C-alpha cells in the first residue's frame, strides 16, 4: 500500500485505507440518524419540545405501557438516556456506553409493547422501537467508525468486544427497569 492509498483523519494515529472510508461514512450516517431520532424523542419527553408531552404526560404514557412505580423517575431516566445517548452518538464519544443506553431504552419499550402486536396501528405496536433498538445494537457491535471522537480509544480499535459488554449492560439495565418500575 502506498501513501496515496491512505487517507488521514484529523487526530487519528492510524490512517485508513481508501476502501474503508465507505464503512466509516456509513457508520457516521447510522450514528447521526439514531442520535437525531432518539435525542429528539428525549427532548420531547423531558422538555416537551416539538409539541411533546413533557415529563408529566410521558409518565402517563409509561403507565399505559404497564409500568406502575416511580413513573417520574423512570421518565427522567428514559428522557435523559435518550438525550445524552443521542449527543454522545452524534459526536462518536463513548459510543459503546451511548449505544448500550439507547439499546436498553429500546429493549424496555419493545418488551412493554409486545402484547400490542408488531405494527403501530393501535398505538401499542413496537416496530419503530425495535428498529431503533436494532440500529443501536448494530452501532454497539460495529463501533463508531473512524469519523468519531472515539478514534484513538480501545473500544474503537476492538468494537465487537466492547459491544458484547455493552449488550450485556443493556439487557441487564432493561431487566432492572422492568423489575423496578
Amino acid at each position: 500500500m502506498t501513501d496515496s492509498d491512505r487517507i488521514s483523519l484529523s487526530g487519528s494515529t492510524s490512517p485508513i485505507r481508501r476502501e474503508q472510508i465507505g464503512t466509516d461514512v456509513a457508520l457516521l450516517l447510522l450514528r447521526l440518524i439514531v442520535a437525531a431520532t432518539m435525542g429528539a424523542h428525549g427532548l420531547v419527553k423531558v422538555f416537551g419540545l416539538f409539541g411533546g408531552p413533557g415529563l408529566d404526560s410521558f409518565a402517563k404514557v409509561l403507565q399505559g405501557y404497564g409500568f406502575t412505580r416511580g413513573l417520574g423517575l423512570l421518565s427522567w431516566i428514559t428522557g435523559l438516556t435518550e438525550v445524552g445517548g443521542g449527543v454522545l452518538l452524534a459526536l462518536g464519544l463513548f459510543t459503546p456506553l451511548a449505544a448500550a443506553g439507547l439499546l436498553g431504552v429500546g429493549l424496555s419499550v419493545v418488551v412493554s409493547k409486545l402484547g400490542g402486536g408488531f405494527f403501530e396501528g393501535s398505538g401499542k405496536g413496537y416496530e419503530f422501537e425495535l428498529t431503533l433498538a436494532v440500529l443501536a445494537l448494530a452501532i454497539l457491535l460495529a463501533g463508531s467508525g473512524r469519523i468519531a471522537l472515539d478514534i484513538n480509544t480501545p473500544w474503537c480499535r476492538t468494537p465487537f468486544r466492547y459491544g458484547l459488554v455493552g449488550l450485556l449492560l443493556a439487557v441487564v439495565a432493561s431487566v432492572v427497569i422492568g423489575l423496578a418500575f
Side-chain angles (χ1 to χ4, degrees):
M1 172 183 313
T2 68
D3 285 340
S4 65
D5 292 331
R6 295 180 184 261
I7 299 170
S8 179
L9 295 175
S10 178
S12 173
T13 58
S14 59
I16 60 173
R17 297 186 339 214
R18 288 188 191 279
E19 57 268 13
Q20 292 175 311
I21 195 71
T23 301
D24 291 316
V25 170
L27 286 169
L28 173 64
L29 293 172
L30 184 61
R31 283 191 355 252
L32 291 176
I33 192 62
V34 172
T37 303
M38 295 294 281
H41 272 249
L43 292 172
V44 163
K45 291 170 184 143
V46 175
F47 301 111
L49 297 180
F50 312 113
L55 284 173
D56 292 336
S57 293
F58 180 58
K60 292 175 186 159
V61 170
L62 290 172
Q63 190 172 23
Y65 291 157
F67 294 100
T68 58
R69 297 178 301 274
L71 298 176
L73 177 60
L74 183 57
S75 297
W76 274 105
I77 291 170
T78 303
L80 293 178
T81 299
E82 289 179 342
V83 172
V87 168
L88 291 174
L89 268 192
L91 296 172
L93 183 63
F94 300 111
T95 302
L97 185 60
L102 297 178
L103 175 59
V105 169
L107 289 174
S108 294
V109 175
V110 168
V111 168
S112 70
K113 292 175 111 181
L114 276 176
F118 184 71
F119 293 107
E120 188 69 32
S122 67
K124 293 262 188 171
Y126 59 89
E127 82 280 0
F128 179 67
E129 292 85 357
L130 179 63
T131 300
L132 288 172
V134 170
L135 292 174
L137 177 60
I139 295 167
L140 183 59
L141 296 176
S144 62
R146 294 185 187 206
I147 306 172
L149 294 178
D150 280 343
I151 184 78
N152 290 317
T153 61
W155 51 88
C156 187
R157 289 189 290 275
T158 56
F160 188 72
R161 181 177 355 159
Y162 287 90
L164 291 177
V165 172
L167 174 59
L168 179 62
L169 178 65
V171 169
V172 168
S174 183
V175 168
V176 167
I177 291 290
L179 293 173
F181 296 98

